Amino acid sequence: MFKALLWDVDGTLAETERDGHRVAFNLAFEAFGLPWRWDEDGYGVLLNVTGGRERLLHDMARRPDAPATAGERERLARALHQRKNAIYGELVRDGGIPLREGVMPLLRECREQDVRLAITTTTSRANVEALLQAHEGTRWRDRFDAVVCGEDTPRKKPDPQAHLQTLKALAMNPRDALAIEDSPPGAAAARGAGIDVVVTRSHYFDAARIEGALAIGPGLHQRRGWQPAAQDLPGDTPIDLAQLRSWFEAARAHP
């Protein structure tokens, strides 16, 4: 039985990429007087590059109107990313980004049953702070046993560094943990750290090929559509700890 649940943030706790980060990037471009805009589909392609600053640099490399030198592009990317994070925080505080359905009930159940909780993400600490403070209050940090963010892990997912850092903070063996992710890089990062993973597909990865997960489904809010199939309960019943344990223990029984 797993003893800790490690949560990704963007796309897993909330649809932050489509409804938050993309919008904030576009507002930052506007604030800097830049004509650049990332539409919904184009941003989905950019998500193959992990990390907001890295995404900016990747995009600038193909733009003829971007700064000419690598140093200038780096300085602009850092400034844009800083402004974007400030705007993102404002969007979250204004209530524009809800948690995905099923997330809060599972968090509460974990706390009631003494399952340890951790945040394992390569997004910035400011972004995590904004989202969780909006939904968990000013003492949100006290509700998690470990919080690992982008500042703690210079190597982005699919590198397993964030998950390894989380295990170290929890003083835990990877076989005693379970990760929840939404994307191929996130799932690969968890598996690279030796942690089993359950995937709740997000908007941008609803059809992505993801290998090595214990289970993959459309979200924690329902049991229909999961592979392997969830236990035989009404389809709109949320995924709970009992279901996660069932998948986890089945994998242990048939390694």
Side-chain angles (χ1 to χ4, degrees):
M1 185 180 301
F2 61 88
K3 300 175 183 177
L5 196 57
L6 280 53
W7 291 80
D8 173 52
V9 174
D10 292 326
T12 301
L13 285 180
E15 285 284 5
T16 52
E17 296 291 9
R18 179 190 61 193
D19 303 330
H21 293 299
R22 183 184 66 85
V23 173
F25 273 120
N26 286 337
L27 290 172
F29 296 149
E30 185 177 338
F32 275 65
L34 295 167
W36 309 341
R37 296 296 181 270
W38 289 347
D39 63 22
E40 190 169 319
D41 290 340
Y43 189 69
V45 175
L46 284 170
L47 286 178
N48 290 307
V49 179
T50 308
R53 186 181 61 81
E54 292 82 358
R55 207 166 293 142
L56 285 163
L57 289 169
H58 176 84
D59 188 55
M60 277 192 257
R62 66 177 181 83
R63 289 187 178 274
D65 56 345
T69 70
E72 290 173 319
R73 290 195 296 271
E74 176 68 35
R75 285 190 291 275
L76 178 58
R78 289 187 181 279
L80 280 168
H81 196 233
Q82 184 176 21
R83 177 65 67 87
K84 169 258 168 184
N85 283 346
I87 295 170
Y88 174 84
E90 293 170 6
L91 291 172
V92 173
R93 284 189 291 274
D94 289 342
I97 306 177
L99 296 182
R100 291 181 67 180
E101 290 183 68
V103 166
M104 188 59 78
L106 185 55
L107 288 171
R108 289 175 181 148
E109 190 180 10
C110 286
R111 290 163 184 151
E112 290 166 0
Q113 298 194 29
D114 295 324
V115 174
R116 302 176 75 186
L117 292 170
I119 296 296
T120 305
T121 181
T122 50
T123 197
S124 73
R125 192 170 299 278
N127 291 342
V128 175
E129 173 86 24
L131 182 68
L132 288 174
Q133 185 167 314
H135 294 285
E136 294 266 32
T138 57
R139 296 182 62 84
W140 71 269
R141 180 63 182 81
D142 297 339
R143 297 172 177 266
F144 293 89
D145 295 277
V147 176
V148 172
C149 302
E151 292 87 344
D152 308 310
T153 57
R155 299 196 300 274
K156 308 298 184 184
K157 297 175 184 178
D159 191 285
Q161 185 181 33
H163 289 85
L164 293 171
Q165 285 281 90
T166 304
L167 291 173
K168 183 178 179 180
L170 294 171
M172 181 169 288
N173 187 293
R175 289 182 59 81
D176 293 328
L178 179 66
I180 298 187
E181 295 278 347
D182 74 298
S183 69
R191 294 297 301 132
I195 302 170
D196 285 318
V197 60
V198 168
V199 174
T200 61
R201 290 189 181 276
S202 61
H203 172 77
Y204 281 118
F205 297 105
D206 62 344
R209 181 175 179 177
I210 300 176
E211 298 180 347
L214 294 187
I216 302 177
L220 297 170
H221 64 293
Q222 66 181 48
R223 288 174 180 259
R224 67 174 63 91
W226 281 85
Q227 294 294 330
Q231 293 170 345
D232 189 16
L233 292 172
D236 57 357
T237 303
I239 299 296
D240 57 9
L241 267 178
Q243 180 59 64
L244 294 180
R245 286 168 175 156
S246 176
W247 283 321
F248 187 83
E249 290 163 9
R252 290 289 181 271
H254 303 92

